Amino acid sequence: GFCGTLAAVQLLRKPSDQNLRVVLIERHQPIGRGVAYGTAQDCHLLNVPAGRMSPLADDDAHFLNYLQRTHPEIDGGYFAPRRRYGEYLHWLLDNAERDSAGRHELLRVHDQAVDIENTPSNAARITLEGGNMVAANYVILASGVAGMRNPEIAAGGEFFSDLRYIADPWLSCALDRIDARYPVLLVGTGLTAVDIVISLRQRGFLQPIHALSRHGLLPIAHRASHHPLHIALPAALDDTAIGTRATLHILRRYVAEVNKSGTDWRDVMVALRPLTAQLWHKLHRGERARFLRHCQAYWEVFRHRLPPSVATELSAMLRLGALQIHAGRIAEIRATADTVDIHFLPRKSRGQNAVLRVGTVINCTGMSSNIRRSSAPLLQALQARGLIQSDAHGLGLLLDDNYAPIAANGTASNVLFYVGPLLKAQFWEATAVPELREHVQRLVDLLLIRIRADGMATPV
């Protein structure tokens, strides 16, 4: 995916005293795109403008320049298809491989790593699903999140084995199982649900689409202009003792103030973005739990916004009743011969269940970051070996300051490193390109320093 590909690109691009052999292991084809940018549908757009999607910190316009090579009219506010970004990452990797020829070697392995063990020589032996082994002096774990999670329901969990339940809508041909005679239910109302709504629309699905989540919140749109104003945040945010409630009150008052002067609340979010890791670090375990319980759902919809064109399409569907949003918790799922009855408790109701009758249920709750519940063979194996562990809130991995996983015995690995969305446990903001590119660059720089210090002839 993005982080693994970019790590390989940075290793190949960086000047080094030694020849590197970089092995990129990826189970998805073509290698270099991952799931996020592997979609073939042009209706799935990036939710960040092209002008802010460069993976190279030293060239903010790199992706935009790539697009303008064939479409000069595109500007920085353009929301490109995710497919184009996947093609771009593939192109970037090819170029880095070509330019590093004679200095470094890139080996692409189409397979899945299922286990890693330390060797007596303080290196690593990686077992692949196909049965082969790869030896490495260093391993960058660049996997995404821990896998899809089923919705939480009080009763009817046996339905999850029914063919009318689509656990992972990103699997090839998953949406082909939808019964077009009946409405469909999407469990979740975030970015995944939006993608599936747009996909169903493209397929000509004519039945109503229901989407249900605990709060019933859809992501909010980006504004049409992509040039944010540079504003100063309140000094009160620098208070080391500030907690979740106080932070929220400060930001709400500040947004109300700047709105009076015509400043958009999105400018506040842009200004807040570089400080989120710092604010997250200030919160102790109880305050983090409070944020996750009360604020996370609202943070997601304000922070991870939609392209304006997508938001306009959703608004039209809502007006026509083609898309219907529900807020509540699923109490029970009852499958009948032809349909599926969803019994749910509406938010702020007085205990009276409502019922939705649909033909298919699609899991759009998104990926889980809780590695304890992961079905990924590699994460399971590494936990069984005690080489990695989860943070207290199930947000990701426990790491030291050098991106090395902290083992069950409390020591940091000398061989394993991690970069990707599971950094959320450490930094909170760790899912978008502007943050991840910085983490990848920092890790690669640290790794090259260690390689030089170890004096290896051909590190892997």
Side-chain angles (χ1 to χ4, degrees):
F2 174 81
C3 287
T5 300
L6 185 57
V9 167
Q10 293 285 24
L11 284 166
L12 295 170
R13 292 176 85 235
K14 294 283 186 179
S16 176
D17 299 334
Q18 295 142 316
N19 297 327
L20 303 179
R21 181 169 179 260
V22 180
V23 182
L24 183 58
I25 301 170
E26 171 58 53
R27 64 191 177 98
H28 295 100
Q29 285 278 41
I31 292 176
R33 301 187 189 185
V35 176
Y37 308 116
T39 176
Q41 294 183 278
D42 282 344
C43 61
H44 293 153
L45 305 182
L46 296 170
N47 65 330
V48 176
R52 301 209 299 269
M53 281 296 289
S54 171
L56 305 178
D58 58 354
D59 188 350
D60 284 336
H62 199 270
F63 176 55
L64 179 59
N65 291 337
Y66 168 84
L67 293 174
Q68 290 175 337
R69 292 171 60 184
T70 54
H71 294 82
E73 74 281 4
I74 288 176
D75 63 18
Y78 174 66
F79 290 87
R82 292 210 298 269
R83 175 187 62 79
R84 293 292 307 277
Y85 198 73
E87 293 170 352
Y88 163 72
L89 290 176
H90 196 82
W91 171 84
L92 193 66
L93 184 63
D94 285 345
N95 281 359
E97 180 182 20
R98 182 198 64 216
D99 294 343
S100 68
R103 295 184 297 114
H104 306 310
E105 176 189 1
L106 174 66
L107 177 62
R108 308 180 205 212
V109 177
H110 179 218
D111 209 326
Q112 181 178 7
V114 295
D115 195 8
I116 300 174
E117 56 183 319
N118 291 330
T119 67
S121 60
N122 199 28
R125 183 165 48 242
I126 304 154
T127 302
L128 304 181
E129 188 177 43
N132 292 326
M133 298 276 189
V134 175
N137 298 110
Y138 303 100
V139 177
I140 296 177
L141 303 170
S143 60
V145 283
M148 296 294 293
R149 61 181 185 270
N150 286 327
E152 296 182 2
I153 61 175
E158 63 276 4
F159 174 72
F160 293 146
S161 61
D162 195 296
L163 289 177
R164 290 169 290 183
Y165 172 64
I166 299 175
D168 185 351
W170 297 117
L171 292 178
S172 177
C173 303
L175 300 185
D176 292 346
R177 302 210 313 263
I178 292 176
D179 190 335
R181 298 175 299 169
Y182 303 104
V184 67
L185 172 68
L186 313 183
V187 183
T189 57
L191 293 175
T192 300
V194 171
D195 281 340
I196 301 308
V197 168
I198 300 301
S199 291
L200 292 175
R201 182 88 164 186
Q202 289 287 111
R203 285 168 164 255
F205 185 77
L206 299 178
Q207 297 293 332
I209 300 171
H210 298 277
L212 168 69
S213 68
R214 187 175 59 160
H215 294 85
L217 300 172
L218 280 171
I220 296 174
H222 283 279
R223 59 180 165 193
S225 170
H226 68 282
H227 297 293
L229 296 176
H230 296 286
I231 59 175
L233 290 172
L237 290 177
D238 294 331
D239 186 348
T240 56
I242 196 171
T244 303
R245 188 188 300 272
T247 301
L248 183 61
H249 288 330
I250 291 169
L251 289 174
R252 278 179 167 171
R253 286 198 300 269
Y254 187 61
V255 167
E257 290 174 9
V258 299
N259 277 345
K260 293 177 183 177
S261 64
T263 300
D264 194 286
W265 61 265
R266 295 168 182 83
D267 293 323
V268 178
M269 295 298 292
V270 171
L272 186 64
R273 189 167 181 172
L275 298 180
T276 50
Q278 176 185 333
L279 293 171
W280 182 251
H281 286 152
K282 290 180 182 180
L283 301 179
H284 59 69
R285 180 171 174 175
E287 283 295 319
R288 290 185 180 187
R290 174 179 288 183
F291 173 84
L292 295 172
R293 186 167 57 250
H294 297 294
C295 302
Q296 182 179 8
Y298 299 96
W299 172 269
E300 298 291 348
V301 300
F302 283 96
R303 169 64 186 83
H304 301 291
R305 301 188 289 277
L306 294 175
S309 62
V310 174
T312 298
E313 185 169 358
L314 291 181
S315 295
M317 294 180 68
L318 288 167
R319 286 195 304 271
L320 295 172
L323 173 63
Q324 300 175 31
I325 305 298
H326 308 274
R329 295 178 181 270
I330 297 178
E332 185 178 6
I333 299 179
R334 299 177 187 172
T336 67
D338 296 317
T339 59
V340 181
D341 291 344
I342 312 297
H343 296 253
F344 71 98
L345 182 64
R347 186 174 176 83
K348 297 182 180 179
S349 72
R350 297 184 177 181
Q352 183 65 42
N353 279 356
V355 180
L356 292 172
R357 178 160 290 176
V358 299
T360 311
V361 177
I362 305 175
N363 179 23
C364 297
T365 55
M367 295 287 187
S368 170
S369 57
N370 190 342
I371 65 170
R372 300 188 196 100
R373 300 178 183 174
S374 175
S375 59
L378 181 58
L379 292 178
Q380 289 181 339
L382 293 176
Q383 288 179 91
R385 290 186 181 278
L387 297 178
I388 62 172
Q389 58 177 315
S390 171
D391 73 299
H393 303 289
L395 294 175
L397 293 175
L398 279 185
L399 306 170
D400 73 358
D401 292 339
N402 295 321
Y403 299 93
I406 298 174
N409 63 8
T411 63
S413 176
N414 291 320
V415 177
L416 298 179
F417 301 88
Y418 177 80
V419 65
L422 297 181
L423 289 172
K424 192 173 185 177
Q426 310 290 109
F427 301 100
W428 180 248
E429 276 294 4
T431 57
V433 166
E435 284 77 30
L436 289 175
R437 74 177 188 180
E438 301 292 339
H439 290 300
V440 171
Q441 180 171 305
R442 197 174 305 134
L443 171 56
V444 167
D445 289 342
L446 289 168
L447 193 55
L448 289 174
I449 291 172
R450 182 167 297 197
I451 287 172
R452 285 194 293 271
D454 290 344
M456 296 177 181
T458 54
V460 177

